[in-house]
PDB file of all heavy atoms in Angstrom:
ATOM      1  N   LEU A   1    -125.456  20.541 176.623  1.00 89.00           N
ATOM      2  CA  LEU A   1    -126.730  21.044 177.139  1.00 89.00           C
ATOM      3  C   LEU A   1    -126.591  21.613 178.536  1.00 89.00           C
ATOM      4  O   LEU A   1    -127.138  22.662 178.855  1.00 89.00           O
ATOM      5  CB  LEU A   1    -127.787  19.936 177.146  1.00 89.00           C
ATOM      6  CG  LEU A   1    -128.388  19.579 175.803  1.00 89.00           C
ATOM      7  CD1 LEU A   1    -129.370  18.423 175.955  1.00 89.00           C
ATOM      8  CD2 LEU A   1    -129.071  20.780 175.186  1.00 89.00           C
ATOM      9  N   ILE A   2    -125.839  20.886 179.409  1.00 92.00           N
ATOM     10  CA  ILE A   2    -125.614  21.395 180.765  1.00 92.00           C
ATOM     11  C   ILE A   2    -124.177  21.102 181.190  1.00 92.00           C
ATOM     12  O   ILE A   2    -123.532  20.195 180.673  1.00 92.00           O
ATOM     13  CB  ILE A   2    -126.603  20.809 181.809  1.00 92.00           C
ATOM     14  CG1 ILE A   2    -126.389  19.315 182.013  1.00 92.00           C
ATOM     15  CG2 ILE A   2    -128.031  21.126 181.458  1.00 92.00           C
ATOM     16  CD1 ILE A   2    -127.174  18.746 183.188  1.00 92.00           C
ATOM     17  N   ASP A   3    -123.729  21.885 182.127  1.00 93.00           N
ATOM     18  CA  ASP A   3    -122.439  21.679 182.775  1.00 93.00           C
ATOM     19  C   ASP A   3    -122.687  21.950 184.246  1.00 93.00           C
ATOM     20  O   ASP A   3    -123.440  22.868 184.587  1.00 93.00           O
ATOM     21  CB  ASP A   3    -121.403  22.642 182.205  1.00 93.00           C
ATOM     22  CG  ASP A   3    -119.997  22.356 182.683  1.00 93.00           C
ATOM     23  OD1 ASP A   3    -119.762  21.246 183.208  1.00 93.00           O
ATOM     24  OD2 ASP A   3    -119.128  23.237 182.535  1.00 93.00           O
ATOM     25  N   TYR A   4    -122.101  21.172 185.148  1.00 93.00           N
ATOM     26  CA  TYR A   4    -122.376  21.369 186.571  1.00 93.00           C
ATOM     27  C   TYR A   4    -121.184  20.956 187.418  1.00 93.00           C
ATOM     28  O   TYR A   4    -120.330  20.190 186.986  1.00 93.00           O
ATOM     29  CB  TYR A   4    -123.625  20.598 187.003  1.00 93.00           C
ATOM     30  CG  TYR A   4    -123.490  19.105 186.878  1.00 93.00           C
ATOM     31  CD1 TYR A   4    -123.057  18.345 187.958  1.00 93.00           C
ATOM     32  CD2 TYR A   4    -123.776  18.448 185.695  1.00 93.00           C
ATOM     33  CE1 TYR A   4    -122.920  16.974 187.858  1.00 93.00           C
ATOM     34  CE2 TYR A   4    -123.649  17.080 185.579  1.00 93.00           C
ATOM     35  CZ  TYR A   4    -123.224  16.346 186.663  1.00 93.00           C
ATOM     36  OH  TYR A   4    -123.089  14.985 186.552  1.00 93.00           O
ATOM     37  N   TRP A   5    -121.142  21.501 188.632  1.00 93.00           N
ATOM     38  CA  TRP A   5    -120.122  21.140 189.612  1.00 93.00           C
ATOM     39  C   TRP A   5    -120.603  21.571 190.989  1.00 93.00           C
ATOM     40  O   TRP A   5    -121.520  22.376 191.122  1.00 93.00           O
ATOM     41  CB  TRP A   5    -118.772  21.771 189.277  1.00 93.00           C
ATOM     42  CG  TRP A   5    -118.768  23.259 189.294  1.00 93.00           C
ATOM     43  CD1 TRP A   5    -118.457  24.062 190.351  1.00 93.00           C
ATOM     44  CD2 TRP A   5    -119.108  24.139 188.235  1.00 93.00           C
ATOM     45  NE1 TRP A   5    -118.583  25.381 190.015  1.00 93.00           N
ATOM     46  CE2 TRP A   5    -118.984  25.456 188.706  1.00 93.00           C
ATOM     47  CE3 TRP A   5    -119.517  23.943 186.914  1.00 93.00           C
ATOM     48  CZ2 TRP A   5    -119.247  26.563 187.917  1.00 93.00           C
ATOM     49  CZ3 TRP A   5    -119.774  25.052 186.140  1.00 93.00           C
ATOM     50  CH2 TRP A   5    -119.634  26.337 186.629  1.00 93.00           C
ATOM     51  N   LEU A   6    -119.977  20.998 192.015  1.00 93.00           N
ATOM     52  CA  LEU A   6    -120.287  21.324 193.412  1.00 93.00           C
ATOM     53  C   LEU A   6    -119.163  22.144 194.024  1.00 93.00           C
ATOM     54  O   LEU A   6    -117.989  21.885 193.763  1.00 93.00           O
ATOM     55  CB  LEU A   6    -120.435  20.041 194.243  1.00 93.00           C
ATOM     56  CG  LEU A   6    -121.653  19.189 193.987  1.00 93.00           C
ATOM     57  CD1 LEU A   6    -121.540  17.882 194.759  1.00 93.00           C
ATOM     58  CD2 LEU A   6    -122.914  19.918 194.389  1.00 93.00           C
ATOM     59  N   ILE A   7    -119.536  23.113 194.849  1.00 92.00           N
ATOM     60  CA  ILE A   7    -118.568  23.852 195.652  1.00 92.00           C
ATOM     61  C   ILE A   7    -119.177  24.058 197.036  1.00 92.00           C
ATOM     62  O   ILE A   7    -120.397  23.964 197.205  1.00 92.00           O
ATOM     63  CB  ILE A   7    -118.172  25.204 195.028  1.00 92.00           C
ATOM     64  CG1 ILE A   7    -119.396  26.099 194.837  1.00 92.00           C
ATOM     65  CG2 ILE A   7    -117.429  25.027 193.736  1.00 92.00           C
ATOM     66  CD1 ILE A   7    -119.048  27.505 194.399  1.00 92.00           C
ATOM     67  N   SER A   8    -118.340  24.324 198.019  1.00 89.00           N
ATOM     68  CA  SER A   8    -118.810  24.609 199.375  1.00 89.00           C
ATOM     69  C   SER A   8    -118.323  25.982 199.804  1.00 89.00           C
ATOM     70  O   SER A   8    -117.188  26.355 199.519  1.00 89.00           O
ATOM     71  CB  SER A   8    -118.299  23.564 200.365  1.00 89.00           C
ATOM     72  OG  SER A   8    -118.929  22.334 200.140  1.00 89.00           O
ATOM     73  N   PHE A   9    -119.199  26.713 200.491  1.00 81.00           N
ATOM     74  CA  PHE A   9    -118.857  28.003 201.069  1.00 81.00           C
ATOM     75  C   PHE A   9    -118.934  27.883 202.573  1.00 81.00           C
ATOM     76  O   PHE A   9    -119.813  27.214 203.104  1.00 81.00           O
ATOM     77  CB  PHE A   9    -119.842  29.093 200.620  1.00 81.00           C
ATOM     78  CG  PHE A   9    -119.688  29.493 199.189  1.00 81.00           C
ATOM     79  CD1 PHE A   9    -120.608  29.086 198.245  1.00 81.00           C
ATOM     80  CD2 PHE A   9    -118.633  30.292 198.796  1.00 81.00           C
ATOM     81  CE1 PHE A   9    -120.481  29.461 196.925  1.00 81.00           C
ATOM     82  CE2 PHE A   9    -118.499  30.673 197.475  1.00 81.00           C
ATOM     83  CZ  PHE A   9    -119.427  30.263 196.535  1.00 81.00           C
ATOM     84  N   GLY A  10    -118.042  28.560 203.264  1.00 80.00           N
ATOM     85  CA  GLY A  10    -118.072  28.565 204.718  1.00 80.00           C
ATOM     86  C   GLY A  10    -117.055  27.602 205.301  1.00 80.00           C
ATOM     87  O   GLY A  10    -116.202  27.066 204.612  1.00 80.00           O
ATOM     88  N   ASP A  11    -117.198  27.369 206.619  1.00 77.00           N
ATOM     89  CA  ASP A  11    -116.290  26.459 207.315  1.00 77.00           C
ATOM     90  C   ASP A  11    -117.050  25.746 208.433  1.00 77.00           C
ATOM     91  O   ASP A  11    -118.218  26.011 208.674  1.00 77.00           O
ATOM     92  CB  ASP A  11    -115.078  27.213 207.865  1.00 77.00           C
ATOM     93  CG  ASP A  11    -115.466  28.366 208.775  1.00 77.00           C
ATOM     94  OD1 ASP A  11    -116.456  28.254 209.523  1.00 77.00           O
ATOM     95  OD2 ASP A  11    -114.772  29.390 208.744  1.00 77.00           O
ATOM     96  N   GLU A  12    -116.355  24.848 209.120  1.00 73.00           N
ATOM     97  CA  GLU A  12    -116.996  24.062 210.174  1.00 73.00           C
ATOM     98  C   GLU A  12    -117.493  24.934 211.320  1.00 73.00           C
ATOM     99  O   GLU A  12    -118.528  24.665 211.902  1.00 73.00           O
ATOM    100  CB  GLU A  12    -116.022  23.004 210.704  1.00 73.00           C
ATOM    101  CG  GLU A  12    -115.760  21.888 209.730  1.00 73.00           C
ATOM    102  CD  GLU A  12    -114.840  20.834 210.310  1.00 73.00           C
ATOM    103  OE1 GLU A  12    -114.775  20.714 211.546  1.00 73.00           O
ATOM    104  OE2 GLU A  12    -114.198  20.128 209.526  1.00 73.00           O
ATOM    105  N   GLU A  13    -116.764  25.980 211.628  1.00 78.00           N
ATOM    106  CA  GLU A  13    -117.123  26.828 212.759  1.00 78.00           C
ATOM    107  C   GLU A  13    -118.392  27.650 212.488  1.00 78.00           C
ATOM    108  O   GLU A  13    -119.299  27.692 213.311  1.00 78.00           O
ATOM    109  CB  GLU A  13    -115.962  27.768 213.092  1.00 78.00           C
ATOM    110  CG  GLU A  13    -116.188  28.592 214.333  1.00 78.00           C
ATOM    111  CD  GLU A  13    -114.974  29.424 214.675  1.00 78.00           C
ATOM    112  OE1 GLU A  13    -113.890  28.830 214.836  1.00 78.00           O
ATOM    113  OE2 GLU A  13    -115.122  30.645 214.762  1.00 78.00           O
ATOM    114  N   SER A  14    -118.450  28.276 211.333  1.00 76.00           N
ATOM    115  CA  SER A  14    -119.604  29.129 211.027  1.00 76.00           C
ATOM    116  C   SER A  14    -120.681  28.397 210.238  1.00 76.00           C
ATOM    117  O   SER A  14    -121.760  28.917 210.032  1.00 76.00           O
ATOM    118  CB  SER A  14    -119.145  30.366 210.248  1.00 76.00           C
ATOM    119  OG  SER A  14    -118.602  29.982 209.001  1.00 76.00           O
ATOM    120  N   GLY A  15    -120.363  27.193 209.806  1.00 79.00           N
ATOM    121  CA  GLY A  15    -121.301  26.427 208.983  1.00 79.00           C
ATOM    122  C   GLY A  15    -120.965  26.601 207.514  1.00 79.00           C
ATOM    123  O   GLY A  15    -120.372  27.595 207.110  1.00 79.00           O
ATOM    124  N   SER A  16    -121.316  25.628 206.745  1.00 83.00           N
ATOM    125  CA  SER A  16    -121.031  25.706 205.322  1.00 83.00           C
ATOM    126  C   SER A  16    -122.280  25.364 204.522  1.00 83.00           C
ATOM    127  O   SER A  16    -123.200  24.720 205.018  1.00 83.00           O
ATOM    128  CB  SER A  16    -119.882  24.768 204.934  1.00 83.00           C
ATOM    129  OG  SER A  16    -120.250  23.428 205.138  1.00 83.00           O
ATOM    130  N   VAL A  17    -122.287  25.828 203.292  1.00 85.00           N
ATOM    131  CA  VAL A  17    -123.375  25.582 202.361  1.00 85.00           C
ATOM    132  C   VAL A  17    -122.783  24.926 201.125  1.00 85.00           C
ATOM    133  O   VAL A  17    -121.801  25.407 200.568  1.00 85.00           O
ATOM    134  CB  VAL A  17    -124.093  26.892 201.969  1.00 85.00           C
ATOM    135  CG1 VAL A  17    -125.136  26.644 200.900  1.00 85.00           C
ATOM    136  CG2 VAL A  17    -124.709  27.544 203.192  1.00 85.00           C
ATOM    137  N   GLU A  18    -123.367  23.812 200.722  1.00 89.00           N
ATOM    138  CA  GLU A  18    -122.953  23.131 199.497  1.00 89.00           C
ATOM    139  C   GLU A  18    -123.775  23.704 198.345  1.00 89.00           C
ATOM    140  O   GLU A  18    -124.999  23.765 198.425  1.00 89.00           O
ATOM    141  CB  GLU A  18    -123.184  21.628 199.628  1.00 89.00           C
ATOM    142  CG  GLU A  18    -122.681  20.837 198.452  1.00 89.00           C
ATOM    143  CD  GLU A  18    -122.899  19.345 198.640  1.00 89.00           C
ATOM    144  OE1 GLU A  18    -124.034  18.944 198.958  1.00 89.00           O
ATOM    145  OE2 GLU A  18    -121.940  18.605 198.453  1.00 89.00           O
ATOM    146  N   VAL A  19    -123.085  24.141 197.284  1.00 90.00           N
ATOM    147  CA  VAL A  19    -123.751  24.783 196.160  1.00 90.00           C
ATOM    148  C   VAL A  19    -123.578  23.934 194.907  1.00 90.00           C
ATOM    149  O   VAL A  19    -122.459  23.582 194.540  1.00 90.00           O
ATOM    150  CB  VAL A  19    -123.190  26.200 195.903  1.00 90.00           C
ATOM    151  CG1 VAL A  19    -123.915  26.852 194.729  1.00 90.00           C
ATOM    152  CG2 VAL A  19    -123.298  27.046 197.154  1.00 90.00           C
ATOM    153  N   LEU A  20    -124.699  23.621 194.270  1.00 92.00           N
ATOM    154  CA  LEU A  20    -124.699  22.940 192.982  1.00 92.00           C
ATOM    155  C   LEU A  20    -124.830  24.014 191.905  1.00 92.00           C
ATOM    156  O   LEU A  20    -125.866  24.677 191.809  1.00 92.00           O
ATOM    157  CB  LEU A  20    -125.866  21.945 192.895  1.00 92.00           C
ATOM    158  CG  LEU A  20    -126.072  21.245 191.558  1.00 92.00           C
ATOM    159  CD1 LEU A  20    -124.855  20.415 191.159  1.00 92.00           C
ATOM    160  CD2 LEU A  20    -127.321  20.380 191.605  1.00 92.00           C
ATOM    161  N   ASN A  21    -123.765  24.238 191.148  1.00 93.00           N
ATOM    162  CA  ASN A  21    -123.764  25.201 190.043  1.00 93.00           C
ATOM    163  C   ASN A  21    -124.155  24.488 188.767  1.00 93.00           C
ATOM    164  O   ASN A  21    -123.536  23.470 188.417  1.00 93.00           O
ATOM    165  CB  ASN A  21    -122.369  25.803 189.854  1.00 93.00           C
ATOM    166  CG  ASN A  21    -122.004  26.744 190.957  1.00 93.00           C
ATOM    167  OD1 ASN A  21    -122.483  27.863 190.982  1.00 93.00           O
ATOM    168  ND2 ASN A  21    -121.179  26.283 191.880  1.00 93.00           N
ATOM    169  N   ILE A  22    -125.144  25.007 188.077  1.00 93.00           N
ATOM    170  CA  ILE A  22    -125.593  24.415 186.820  1.00 93.00           C
ATOM    171  C   ILE A  22    -125.626  25.501 185.748  1.00 93.00           C
ATOM    172  O   ILE A  22    -126.274  26.528 185.912  1.00 93.00           O
ATOM    173  CB  ILE A  22    -127.005  23.803 186.944  1.00 93.00           C
ATOM    174  CG1 ILE A  22    -127.049  22.758 188.047  1.00 93.00           C
ATOM    175  CG2 ILE A  22    -127.444  23.203 185.606  1.00 93.00           C
ATOM    176  CD1 ILE A  22    -128.454  22.250 188.359  1.00 93.00           C
ATOM    177  N   TYR A  23    -124.895  25.275 184.667  1.00 93.00           N
ATOM    178  CA  TYR A  23    -124.958  26.132 183.492  1.00 93.00           C
ATOM    179  C   TYR A  23    -125.702  25.360 182.420  1.00 93.00           C
ATOM    180  O   TYR A  23    -125.421  24.183 182.191  1.00 93.00           O
ATOM    181  CB  TYR A  23    -123.550  26.467 182.996  1.00 93.00           C
ATOM    182  CG  TYR A  23    -122.885  27.559 183.786  1.00 93.00           C
ATOM    183  CD1 TYR A  23    -122.455  27.346 185.086  1.00 93.00           C
ATOM    184  CD2 TYR A  23    -122.696  28.811 183.220  1.00 93.00           C
ATOM    185  CE1 TYR A  23    -121.855  28.357 185.818  1.00 93.00           C
ATOM    186  CE2 TYR A  23    -122.086  29.831 183.945  1.00 93.00           C
ATOM    187  CZ  TYR A  23    -121.675  29.591 185.238  1.00 93.00           C
ATOM    188  OH  TYR A  23    -121.082  30.594 185.949  1.00 93.00           O
ATOM    189  N   TYR A  24    -126.650  26.005 181.757  1.00 92.00           N
ATOM    190  CA  TYR A  24    -127.403  25.322 180.709  1.00 92.00           C
ATOM    191  C   TYR A  24    -127.480  26.184 179.460  1.00 92.00           C
ATOM    192  O   TYR A  24    -127.379  27.404 179.513  1.00 92.00           O
ATOM    193  CB  TYR A  24    -128.792  24.930 181.196  1.00 92.00           C
ATOM    194  CG  TYR A  24    -129.706  26.093 181.509  1.00 92.00           C
ATOM    195  CD1 TYR A  24    -130.599  26.560 180.560  1.00 92.00           C
ATOM    196  CD2 TYR A  24    -129.670  26.723 182.737  1.00 92.00           C
ATOM    197  CE1 TYR A  24    -131.430  27.628 180.836  1.00 92.00           C
ATOM    198  CE2 TYR A  24    -130.502  27.785 183.023  1.00 92.00           C
ATOM    199  CZ  TYR A  24    -131.377  28.233 182.070  1.00 92.00           C
ATOM    200  OH  TYR A  24    -132.193  29.296 182.352  1.00 92.00           O
ATOM    201  N   ARG A  25    -127.693  25.515 178.327  1.00 91.00           N
ATOM    202  CA  ARG A  25    -127.697  26.204 177.041  1.00 91.00           C
ATOM    203  C   ARG A  25    -129.102  26.368 176.489  1.00 91.00           C
ATOM    204  O   ARG A  25    -129.445  27.439 176.012  1.00 91.00           O
ATOM    205  CB  ARG A  25    -126.831  25.431 176.055  1.00 91.00           C
ATOM    206  CG  ARG A  25    -126.723  26.080 174.696  1.00 91.00           C
ATOM    207  CD  ARG A  25    -125.777  25.315 173.831  1.00 91.00           C
ATOM    208  NE  ARG A  25    -126.213  23.941 173.706  1.00 91.00           N
ATOM    209  CZ  ARG A  25    -126.072  23.203 172.633  1.00 91.00           C
ATOM    210  NH1 ARG A  25    -125.479  23.701 171.582  1.00 91.00           N
ATOM    211  NH2 ARG A  25    -126.481  21.972 172.599  1.00 91.00           N
ATOM    212  N   HIS A  26    -129.927  25.316 176.484  1.00 87.00           N
ATOM    213  CA  HIS A  26    -131.293  25.363 175.950  1.00 87.00           C
ATOM    214  C   HIS A  26    -132.261  24.992 177.055  1.00 87.00           C
ATOM    215  O   HIS A  26    -132.215  23.876 177.566  1.00 87.00           O
ATOM    216  CB  HIS A  26    -131.473  24.371 174.796  1.00 87.00           C
ATOM    217  CG  HIS A  26    -130.767  24.765 173.548  1.00 87.00           C
ATOM    218  ND1 HIS A  26    -131.219  25.775 172.734  1.00 87.00           N
ATOM    219  CD2 HIS A  26    -129.634  24.309 172.985  1.00 87.00           C
ATOM    220  CE1 HIS A  26    -130.397  25.902 171.711  1.00 87.00           C
ATOM    221  NE2 HIS A  26    -129.419  25.026 171.852  1.00 87.00           N
ATOM    222  N   GLN A  27    -133.145  25.916 177.405  1.00 84.00           N
ATOM    223  CA  GLN A  27    -134.052  25.676 178.519  1.00 84.00           C
ATOM    224  C   GLN A  27    -134.917  24.438 178.310  1.00 84.00           C
ATOM    225  O   GLN A  27    -134.968  23.561 179.165  1.00 84.00           O
ATOM    226  CB  GLN A  27    -134.950  26.888 178.744  1.00 84.00           C
ATOM    227  CG  GLN A  27    -135.905  26.695 179.902  1.00 84.00           C
ATOM    228  CD  GLN A  27    -136.712  27.935 180.173  1.00 84.00           C
ATOM    229  OE1 GLN A  27    -136.296  29.038 179.853  1.00 84.00           O
ATOM    230  NE2 GLN A  27    -137.860  27.767 180.751  1.00 84.00           N
ATOM    231  N   ASP A  28    -135.598  24.342 177.190  1.00 88.00           N
ATOM    232  CA  ASP A  28    -136.522  23.221 176.971  1.00 88.00           C
ATOM    233  C   ASP A  28    -135.803  21.882 176.916  1.00 88.00           C
ATOM    234  O   ASP A  28    -136.264  20.896 177.475  1.00 88.00           O
ATOM    235  CB  ASP A  28    -137.336  23.436 175.697  1.00 88.00           C
ATOM    236  CG  ASP A  28    -138.284  24.623 175.816  1.00 88.00           C
ATOM    237  OD1 ASP A  28    -138.675  24.952 176.947  1.00 88.00           O
ATOM    238  OD2 ASP A  28    -138.619  25.218 174.773  1.00 88.00           O
ATOM    239  N   GLU A  29    -134.671  21.831 176.236  1.00 90.00           N
ATOM    240  CA  GLU A  29    -133.929  20.581 176.112  1.00 90.00           C
ATOM    241  C   GLU A  29    -133.203  20.215 177.402  1.00 90.00           C
ATOM    242  O   GLU A  29    -133.041  19.038 177.710  1.00 90.00           O
ATOM    243  CB  GLU A  29    -132.922  20.681 174.969  1.00 90.00           C
ATOM    244  CG  GLU A  29    -133.558  20.818 173.603  1.00 90.00           C
ATOM    245  CD  GLU A  29    -132.521  21.023 172.512  1.00 90.00           C
ATOM    246  OE1 GLU A  29    -131.369  20.557 172.676  1.00 90.00           O
ATOM    247  OE2 GLU A  29    -132.859  21.653 171.511  1.00 90.00           O
ATOM    248  N   SER A  30    -132.768  21.196 178.158  1.00 91.00           N
ATOM    249  CA  SER A  30    -131.986  20.953 179.372  1.00 91.00           C
ATOM    250  C   SER A  30    -132.844  20.644 180.587  1.00 91.00           C
ATOM    251  O   SER A  30    -132.366  20.009 181.533  1.00 91.00           O
ATOM    252  CB  SER A  30    -131.118  22.172 179.693  1.00 91.00           C
ATOM    253  OG  SER A  30    -130.245  22.456 178.650  1.00 91.00           O
ATOM    254  N   LEU A  31    -134.092  21.094 180.599  1.00 91.00           N
ATOM    255  CA  LEU A  31    -134.922  20.986 181.794  1.00 91.00           C
ATOM    256  C   LEU A  31    -135.017  19.574 182.363  1.00 91.00           C
ATOM    257  O   LEU A  31    -134.829  19.391 183.572  1.00 91.00           O
ATOM    258  CB  LEU A  31    -136.315  21.560 181.537  1.00 91.00           C
ATOM    259  CG  LEU A  31    -137.224  21.628 182.745  1.00 91.00           C
ATOM    260  CD1 LEU A  31    -136.604  22.467 183.854  1.00 91.00           C
ATOM    261  CD2 LEU A  31    -138.585  22.175 182.357  1.00 91.00           C
ATOM    262  N   PRO A  32    -135.282  18.519 181.558  1.00 94.00           N
ATOM    263  CA  PRO A  32    -135.337  17.170 182.155  1.00 94.00           C
ATOM    264  C   PRO A  32    -134.018  16.749 182.815  1.00 94.00           C
ATOM    265  O   PRO A  32    -134.022  16.120 183.879  1.00 94.00           O
ATOM    266  CB  PRO A  32    -135.672  16.256 180.973  1.00 94.00           C
ATOM    267  CG  PRO A  32    -136.261  17.145 179.941  1.00 94.00           C
ATOM    268  CD  PRO A  32    -135.632  18.489 180.140  1.00 94.00           C
ATOM    269  N   LEU A  33    -132.893  17.122 182.217  1.00 93.00           N
ATOM    270  CA  LEU A  33    -131.589  16.784 182.797  1.00 93.00           C
ATOM    271  C   LEU A  33    -131.360  17.550 184.097  1.00 93.00           C
ATOM    272  O   LEU A  33    -130.858  16.993 185.081  1.00 93.00           O
ATOM    273  CB  LEU A  33    -130.471  17.117 181.809  1.00 93.00           C
ATOM    274  CG  LEU A  33    -130.490  16.354 180.488  1.00 93.00           C
ATOM    275  CD1 LEU A  33    -129.467  16.952 179.533  1.00 93.00           C
ATOM    276  CD2 LEU A  33    -130.207  14.888 180.728  1.00 93.00           C
ATOM    277  N   ILE A  34    -131.745  18.813 184.116  1.00 93.00           N
ATOM    278  CA  ILE A  34    -131.581  19.636 185.318  1.00 93.00           C
ATOM    279  C   ILE A  34    -132.458  19.110 186.448  1.00 93.00           C
ATOM    280  O   ILE A  34    -132.003  18.988 187.591  1.00 93.00           O
ATOM    281  CB  ILE A  34    -131.902  21.109 185.008  1.00 93.00           C
ATOM    282  CG1 ILE A  34    -130.842  21.685 184.067  1.00 93.00           C
ATOM    283  CG2 ILE A  34    -132.000  21.930 186.284  1.00 93.00           C
ATOM    284  CD1 ILE A  34    -131.179  23.056 183.510  1.00 93.00           C
ATOM    285  N   GLU A  35    -133.705  18.775 186.134  1.00 93.00           N
ATOM    286  CA  GLU A  35    -134.609  18.240 187.166  1.00 93.00           C
ATOM    287  C   GLU A  35    -134.055  16.963 187.782  1.00 93.00           C
ATOM    288  O   GLU A  35    -134.073  16.799 189.000  1.00 93.00           O
ATOM    289  CB  GLU A  35    -135.993  17.971 186.574  1.00 93.00           C
ATOM    290  CG  GLU A  35    -136.772  19.229 186.275  1.00 93.00           C
ATOM    291  CD  GLU A  35    -138.084  18.942 185.580  1.00 93.00           C
ATOM    292  OE1 GLU A  35    -138.229  17.873 184.921  1.00 93.00           O
ATOM    293  OE2 GLU A  35    -138.986  19.793 185.678  1.00 93.00           O
ATOM    294  N   ARG A  36    -133.561  16.074 186.959  1.00 94.00           N
ATOM    295  CA  ARG A  36    -133.016  14.807 187.461  1.00 94.00           C
ATOM    296  C   ARG A  36    -131.766  15.039 188.306  1.00 94.00           C
ATOM    297  O   ARG A  36    -131.595  14.456 189.376  1.00 94.00           O
ATOM    298  CB  ARG A  36    -132.690  13.874 186.299  1.00 94.00           C
ATOM    299  CG  ARG A  36    -132.049  12.591 186.753  1.00 94.00           C
ATOM    300  CD  ARG A  36    -131.602  11.783 185.593  1.00 94.00           C
ATOM    301  NE  ARG A  36    -132.230  10.487 185.673  1.00 94.00           N
ATOM    302  CZ  ARG A  36    -132.176   9.590 184.728  1.00 94.00           C
ATOM    303  NH1 ARG A  36    -131.578   9.862 183.604  1.00 94.00           N
ATOM    304  NH2 ARG A  36    -132.721   8.426 184.911  1.00 94.00           N
ATOM    305  N   LEU A  37    -130.887  15.917 187.831  1.00 93.00           N
ATOM    306  CA  LEU A  37    -129.664  16.239 188.560  1.00 93.00           C
ATOM    307  C   LEU A  37    -129.990  16.806 189.939  1.00 93.00           C
ATOM    308  O   LEU A  37    -129.435  16.374 190.949  1.00 93.00           O
ATOM    309  CB  LEU A  37    -128.832  17.233 187.756  1.00 93.00           C
ATOM    310  CG  LEU A  37    -127.549  17.731 188.391  1.00 93.00           C
ATOM    311  CD1 LEU A  37    -126.567  16.583 188.581  1.00 93.00           C
ATOM    312  CD2 LEU A  37    -126.941  18.823 187.526  1.00 93.00           C
ATOM    313  N   ILE A  38    -130.913  17.739 190.009  1.00 91.00           N
ATOM    314  CA  ILE A  38    -131.288  18.351 191.286  1.00 91.00           C
ATOM    315  C   ILE A  38    -131.940  17.329 192.206  1.00 91.00           C
ATOM    316  O   ILE A  38    -131.601  17.240 193.386  1.00 91.00           O
ATOM    317  CB  ILE A  38    -132.216  19.557 191.061  1.00 91.00           C
ATOM    318  CG1 ILE A  38    -131.431  20.695 190.392  1.00 91.00           C
ATOM    319  CG2 ILE A  38    -132.835  20.027 192.381  1.00 91.00           C
ATOM    320  CD1 ILE A  38    -132.291  21.852 189.926  1.00 91.00           C
TER     321      ILE A  38
END
């Protein structure tokens, strides 16, 4: 239903952003899992 992972962009000097990537297959079935994960 979903697949997810974290990555970071940037560095200590310029600042970094942590990104939660979420891939989902079925919107209605995946939504509760996505909401909880976020």
Side-chain angles (χ1 to χ4, degrees):
L1 284 177
I2 66 170
D3 188 16
Y4 64 93
W5 63 92
L6 289 173
I7 59 172
S8 290
F9 288 106
D11 56 36
E12 289 182 24
E13 186 176 304
S14 64
S16 65
V17 175
E18 185 178 51
V19 181
L20 175 61
N21 289 284
I22 303 172
Y23 280 71
Y24 66 95
R25 182 176 58 145
H26 289 286
Q27 181 176 335
D28 294 334
E29 294 176 28
S30 301
L31 186 58
L33 298 171
I34 292 170
E35 288 175 336
R36 177 187 237 172
L37 177 64
I38 291 171

